[in-house]
Amino acid sequence: MRTVIAIIPARYAATRLPGKPLADIAGKPMIQHVYERAARARVDRVLVATDDARIEAAVRAFGGEAMLTASTHVSGSDRVAEAARSLKADWIVNVQGDEPLLHPEMLDQLLEPLRNDPAIPMATLAHPLTDREDFLSPDVVKVVCTRGGFALYFSRAPLPVARGREGVPREALRHIGLYAYRADFLQQFARLDPTPLEQSEKLEQLRALEHGFPIRVVTTRHHALGVDTPTDLERVRRMFAQARGDAPGF
């Protein structure tokens, strides 16, 4: 049996929303919602990789597993790679710590290409994008793919351009920032030099593409809502309040 470990990178000093992993949502810190949902997927272990003792303490307080990592990492995947070096696993899943609406099935879908084809080094998720405001927003990452389902490019710009058409192109996909890696490739990825497009777009996955490694993109029906800004946080809080529980959208 292949071993799968889900690692949630979480840092305190987010630029737009400092301390967001500890933001209260329906009586729980956001990191707890993410942790509990990831644990419902077909994974063998879940842990939080953080550079902050406050986040580590909060995770341990609800019975979760946490590991302190360096504060110098330039991306979540680099932080995940540090945590994974001391672990024995075949596949590592990078679960973003700001996805409190994560559906467990998304992790299972993410792992499917790696289970079926050992030559695939990493995979990620996307969801059909239909809202024009989101399509134009630089806070919403878009991905364009080959006909075989591999990423051509990720961008904060509105891609693909549909000349002569109004609205959102029917091919538009919102990238969902979850990644599954073969454990050996994750360490290789972390050793790669950061690349110009990665630094320009502030998108870590472009490092893999610029160095010539393929990324399989799985389209999911589930739509995760990441929390990047105070507005996002309030929107998620309202969704939880309306659901009167901890699983809106399930």
Side-chain angles (χ1 to χ4, degrees):
M1 294 291 291
R2 298 284 186 172
T3 302
V4 181
I5 298 179
I7 302 179
I8 307 169
R11 65 189 185 98
Y12 192 89
T15 304
R16 287 175 291 181
L17 189 59
K20 69 177 178 178
L22 302 183
D24 181 86
I25 300 174
K28 298 178 182 180
M30 179 161 59
I31 195 70
Q32 183 174 354
H33 287 286
V34 179
Y35 190 103
E36 291 174 347
R37 291 177 180 226
R40 297 175 198 166
R42 289 188 297 154
V43 299
D44 299 287
R45 184 178 176 185
V46 180
L47 66 89
V48 173
T50 183
D51 61 352
D52 193 280
R54 289 165 289 188
I55 296 175
E56 180 192 31
V59 173
R60 296 192 187 281
F62 66 73
E65 183 180 0
M67 178 186 299
L68 280 174
T69 57
S71 61
T72 53
H73 294 302
V74 298
S75 75
S77 290
D78 293 304
R79 188 177 308 284
V80 168
E82 181 193 340
R85 284 187 202 114
S86 61
L87 308 174
K88 290 185 177 180
D90 297 288
W91 298 315
I92 301 293
V93 180
N94 176 348
V95 179
Q96 301 299 319
D98 57 6
E99 294 279 358
L101 297 175
L102 173 76
H103 195 294
E105 187 184 29
M106 296 166 73
L107 273 66
D108 299 332
Q109 293 173 323
L110 180 62
L111 285 161
E112 199 62 29
L114 277 68
R115 296 184 193 276
N116 293 334
D117 186 350
I120 295 176
M122 65 179 289
T124 192
L125 292 177
H127 180 83
L129 180 56
T130 57
D131 183 86
R132 176 124 182 115
E133 184 176 345
D134 285 346
F135 180 65
L136 297 175
S137 172
D139 294 326
V140 176
V141 178
K142 277 68 70 172
V143 58
V144 289
C145 302
T146 69
R147 300 181 85 178
F150 287 87
L152 285 169
Y153 191 61
F154 298 85
S155 182
R156 298 183 182 279
L159 293 178
V161 174
R163 291 182 128 184
R165 283 189 282 165
E166 297 294 331
V168 180
R170 61 178 177 273
E171 305 88 359
L173 291 172
R174 173 198 295 263
H175 177 235
I176 299 174
L178 278 73
Y179 305 96
Y181 296 93
R182 283 200 334 252
D184 58 344
F185 176 73
L186 174 60
Q187 298 307 320
Q188 183 179 0
F189 174 88
R191 291 191 297 268
L192 296 172
D193 291 331
T195 54
L197 291 174
E198 173 191 5
Q199 294 171 324
S200 176
E201 293 262 20
K202 297 294 186 289
L203 296 174
E204 65 200 80
Q205 63 272 31
L206 288 173
R207 188 189 315 173
L209 293 186
E210 285 188 86
H211 281 283
F213 296 99
I215 302 175
R216 179 71 166 86
V217 180
V218 179
T219 302
T220 179
R221 65 185 178 88
H222 300 292
H223 172 61
L225 177 62
V227 176
D228 293 313
T229 66
T231 301
D232 294 336
L233 179 59
E234 290 309 311
R235 181 181 176 187
V236 168
R237 283 172 170 165
R238 288 195 299 270
M239 293 174 70
F240 273 84
Q242 291 167 0
R244 299 191 181 188
D246 71 342
F250 273 31

